[in-house]
Amino acid sequence: MTPAELAVAVLAAARAAITERDLDVSALPATTSVERPRNPEHGDYASNIALQLGKKVGLNPRDLAAAVAKNLQETPGIASVEIAGPGFLNIRLAAGAVGELAGLILRAGRQYGRSETLAKEKINLEFVSANPTGPVHLGHTRWAAVGDALGRILSAAGADVTREHYINDAGVQMNRFGESVMAAAHNQPTPPDGYPGEYVQDVAKAVVAANPGILDRPESEQKDRFLSEGYKAMLKEMQDSLERFGVHFDVWFSEQTLHAGGAVEHALDELRKQGHVFEQDGAVWLRTTDFGDDKDRVLIRSNGEKTYFAADAAYYINKRERGFERCIYMLGADHHGYIGRLKAIAACAGDDPQRNIEVLIGQLVSLLRGGEPVRLSKRAGTLITLDELLDAVGVDAARYSLARSSTDSPLTLDIDVITRQKNDNPVFYVQYVGARISSIARNAADKGFERSEAYDAALLVHEKELDLLKALGDFPGVVATAAELREPHRVARYLEDLAGAYHRFYDNCHVLPKLGDEEFTETHRARLWLNDATRQVIVNGLDLLGVSAPESM
């Protein structure tokens, strides 16, 4: 019996208890949950449903708990239910009911941990969104790892997720990039506020090679060609780097298309209909202070030039008109001020800023090697690029290390730690357990020990077997919570706890017979099921983080 199945049973028992007393069942929630008690002596799981519902239905919580407990004890797979304190339910499962989880996991396979928690939610998840004026750097890389993991987790919770990269390819920075590439092609110094770095030289050489005679053409023509060709080359490099990192975007959305296709003008019309656009001092404004922004925002300057904010408004409205109910923006630490203004855009557009838009902020990342900060890139000058990080540590170590910590705090990665094959390296710790499990399965097959089609679940009664089973049962709830709170690091930390539970199981319970004449028993067979079920959950969990689960290390 999984925690989810037990929660359904608890809810059914509460419904029956309330119905038996001719009371109103409308107070019942659509779903409930059960928790693992801090003290294992209190049982396998606990529920506070009687405390939640007692006053609502006009019953003393402890009396309601007694009625719920009576109904629960009649449920197959539940050994006992005790009432504690003012109305807590402490539930113990029958041994066989706990052990059945191993079979359930293996039958579910890749689907175990997935749910319909966010079914029918259509989500636009925008992350990275780097300017195409340089390589993907370390700051972008954290959001690449976390954003892709979040997309996987939201999908696992049943949401319809579109992963989107907003290409900031309009405005002054693009002109400066084109001028920098042209200057590099002519062996001239980088223009003021331009882009230095070896990568600009590489782009310039590529453009010249692809366009013979370009350096002899009129300056205006050169500027246009170096900008357009340099932009394409840089965008392709960004896309290749992210794909190498295992990050795939469903949509690459160009800011230029907002201006070229009239989306900005359309957005202004939509905002005017809502009554929040006004004119002052020859400029067009959006009254965002009506919805908590610290100041009203200019949409069109007095000289007729549209602002970045106008493009932001058009982009949000475009997303909503594409049918996305929830728009999640994942932005860097330097964009904290965007939270209020983006939510104000949603409110000015007539939406609910608490539901239709979310803005997540990620803090900075730094690298250490040999105890010293890694400061400069050989290629990008002042930046450390994604490709350089991958060359140093590999995809798995980079993704796992970036995703395992809350984005609320700055993160320092020690290259020496995340590349060594020791248990103090979290990604190695988890992957090694998965590989060890595979090794045991191979050894069993080599010795002719078959897991077969069935096992006796009631044989899994050792304390460490039960602890491991309970940890496996927690996985769907961890995934659902990670999706709800937008916190992929919960999956990584869960996997580390699961790896610890497996080590304790392995140290105390022989999965295979010892060397010698010991026979292969039904207990060994049941443990093989548990062994393989653990491997399946590790595979599923690492996949949610975009990390591989090697069968040998």
Side-chain angles (χ1 to χ4, degrees), residues 34 57 112 205 207 247 425:
V34 292
V57 299
Y112 183 68
K205 291 175 184 176
V207 174
V247 177
N425 174 7

Side-chain angles (χ1 to χ4, degrees), residues 243-515:
E243 288 285 352
R244 177 188 175 192
F245 197 39
V247 177
H248 171 76
F249 288 96
D250 303 303
V251 175
W252 288 77
F253 192 101
S254 166
E255 181 185 352
Q256 291 181 6
T257 63
L258 291 174
H259 298 279
V264 175
E265 290 77 7
H266 170 71
L268 295 180
D269 290 341
E270 293 300 308
L271 292 168
R272 283 192 180 93
K273 292 176 184 176
Q274 296 293 329
H276 301 292
V277 175
F278 67 98
E279 295 187 14
Q280 182 176 303
D281 300 328
V284 179
W285 300 68
L286 188 64
R287 202 181 305 279
T288 54
T289 52
D290 288 347
F291 300 102
D293 197 6
D294 58 346
K295 61 181 180 180
D296 293 327
R297 303 288 171 175
V298 177
L299 295 166
I300 303 176
R301 296 188 177 94
S302 57
N303 62 3
E305 179 183 339
K306 298 181 180 68
T307 64
Y308 285 116
F309 184 74
D312 290 339
Y315 185 40
Y316 172 76
I317 289 173
N318 176 277
K319 288 180 178 181
R320 293 286 286 125
E321 291 182 345
R322 280 187 277 151
F324 296 108
E325 301 162 9
R326 195 180 296 271
C327 303
I328 301 178
Y329 292 73
M330 305 180 76
L331 305 179
D334 56 341
H335 287 74
H336 197 276
Y338 276 66
I339 298 175
R341 69 187 72 171
L342 287 172
K343 284 188 170 289
I345 287 173
C348 288
D351 288 341
D352 179 357
Q354 301 306 314
R355 168 168 174 73
N356 298 119
I357 188 168
E358 296 178 29
V359 184
L360 309 179
I361 300 294
Q363 297 301 316
L364 300 175
V365 183
S366 57
L367 285 181
L368 295 178
R369 177 187 276 126
E372 296 295 327
V374 179
R375 299 188 183 279
L376 299 177
S377 162
K378 295 179 180 178
R379 183 163 181 264
T382 59
L383 303 172
I384 301 168
T385 69
L386 168 57
D387 285 323
E388 288 167 330
L389 176 65
L390 298 185
D391 290 341
V393 307
V395 172
D396 283 348
R399 287 192 63 129
Y400 189 95
S401 301
L402 289 163
R404 75 178 292 266
S405 298
S406 170
T407 55
D408 292 338
S409 302
L411 176 63
T412 299
L413 298 182
D414 189 324
I415 290 176
D416 298 328
V417 171
I418 65 177
T419 55
R420 65 188 178 213
Q421 294 196 339
K422 293 185 177 180
N423 283 342
D424 63 349
N425 174 7
V427 64
F428 173 79
Y429 182 61
V430 174
Q431 288 183 317
Y432 178 72
V433 167
R436 169 181 270 190
I437 293 171
S438 293
S439 176
I440 292 171
R442 288 193 298 271
N443 287 341
D446 290 344
K447 296 177 185 300
F449 302 146
E450 295 185 4
R451 199 180 72 197
S452 77
E453 296 298 319
Y455 68 105
D456 186 349
L459 294 174
L460 297 174
V461 294
H462 190 282
E463 176 188 358
K464 300 307 178 185
E465 293 169 343
L466 296 176
D467 287 346
L468 180 55
L469 283 161
K470 290 172 187 175
L472 295 173
D474 288 342
F475 181 59
V478 169
V479 176
T481 301
E484 179 185 359
L485 299 180
R486 320 306 192 218
E487 294 181 344
H489 70 272
R490 290 176 177 268
V491 174
R493 297 310 174 102
Y494 163 82
L495 289 173
E496 292 163 32
D497 290 342
L498 177 63
Y502 180 83
H503 276 304
R504 292 185 289 275
F505 156 74
Y506 180 83
D507 290 342
N508 289 273
C509 304
H510 294 290
V511 179
L512 300 179
K514 297 179 183 178
L515 293 176

Side-chain angles (χ1 to χ4, degrees), residues 82-96:
E82 297 175 355
I83 304 167
F88 290 102
L89 296 171
N90 289 332
I91 305 165
R92 296 180 189 278
L93 301 182

Side-chain angles (χ1 to χ4, degrees), residues 459 513 518-526:
L459 294 174
E518 184 182 355
E519 294 184 358
F520 181 72
T521 67
E522 289 304 311
T523 297
H524 292 120
R525 192 186 312 281

Side-chain angles (χ1 to χ4, degrees), residues 24-39:
D24 185 7
V25 296
S26 63
L28 277 166
T31 60
T32 190
S33 62
V34 292
E35 304 292 336
R36 295 267 298 277
R38 292 183 180 178
N39 185 348

